[in-house]
Amino acid sequence: MFDTLQDRLASVFKGLRSKGRLTEADLDATMREIRIALLEADVNLAVVKEFVAAVKERSLGAELSKALNPSQQIIKIVNEELVSILGGEARTIRFAKQPPTVIMLAGLQGAGKTTLAGKLAGWLKAERHSPLLVAADLQRPNAVNQLQIVGDRAGVHVFAPEPGNGVGDPVDVARRAIEHARAKLYDVVIVDTAGRLGVDQELMQQAADIKAAVSPDETLFVVDAMIGQDAVNTAKAFDEGVGVDGVVLTKLDGDARGGAALSIARVLGKPIMFASNGEGLADFDMFHPDRMASRILG
Ligand code: GDP
């Protein structure tokens, strides 16, 4: 997904390495190239501006003039600023002092929420938690079945409205699921909510109602990294409409340019906590800003 960015930055740095001392003109040219590389990779414009300004300021300052190897120093600065844009420290789930910890997943239809719910449950189980999956996506007829399938795959129980009881009220299902978790001593509850094709008022209201009913410890916004700048805009809309604590990027195995998704942490000021890179249960990991930066910088 980050091939464009990787290739472009690699060629910027290659040019840089062949120089000994750097003139101010060299530095300007390098900043221009970095700016173009980031924009071509679809990184959000405001984030690019901030990034380039920070790298330039540090490069012009004492850090570079004192350096024995200026080009190496610039690469180090770019790396550190990239880690910062990506959110700095890795952050995992903040577990409630009093179980169950409630995690609510929100996002557009097709973002990968249901798939992610299974992955997250499987991951928590491996971390010796006892998660319960909750089917509060009652919009799509097949959503409950789909959650059941991923739950079975992860070996995790799914709380769903009883068949034959009509469509059901997702807020009521979510509320009853928390009671069930308390009674049966599940320590983490993962609530899968309905998405729509686009951001709309009804969707936001339903997500906000579920949130108000279950007071999640973590509201995670799940977003398909392939949708480019829309990922940033949708993230903002969900943060304003529902309030999110963290972001999960999905479909990082795709061939889109990916830069937009990488801008989300900085634009929202919320951490990217997990990343999903395939349809399998194991195609999932915590998001580590430093590892991602190293990967991008090659
Ligand atoms: P939801 O509507 O948000 O619940 O989305 P789903 O979980 O149903 O996922 C939508 C589609 O994307 C399904 O076909 C998933 O198999 C697929 N999908 C989910 N996550 C990933 C991922 O990380 N990589 C790829 N390639 N496909 C994914």
Side-chain angles (χ1 to χ4, degrees), residues 131-168:
L132 175 70
L133 284 163
V134 182
D137 175 357
L138 307 180
Q139 213 76 37
R140 277 187 307 135
N142 203 30
V144 177
N145 284 342
Q146 203 192 330
L147 190 66
Q148 198 72 61
I149 291 168
V150 300
D152 287 349
R153 217 183 283 158
V156 171
H157 186 68
V158 175
F159 185 92
E162 297 78 18
N165 270 3
V167 178

Side-chain angles (χ1 to χ4, degrees), residues 108-116 119 137 140 146 192 250-253 276-279 283:
L108 295 181
Q109 186 173 315
K113 285 182 300 303
T114 304
T115 311
L116 189 270
K119 292 176 177 187
D137 175 357
R140 277 187 307 135
Q146 203 192 330
D192 186 23
T250 67
K251 310 192 192 180
L252 289 186
D253 52 319
S276 165
N277 58 355
E279 297 187 73
D283 302 324

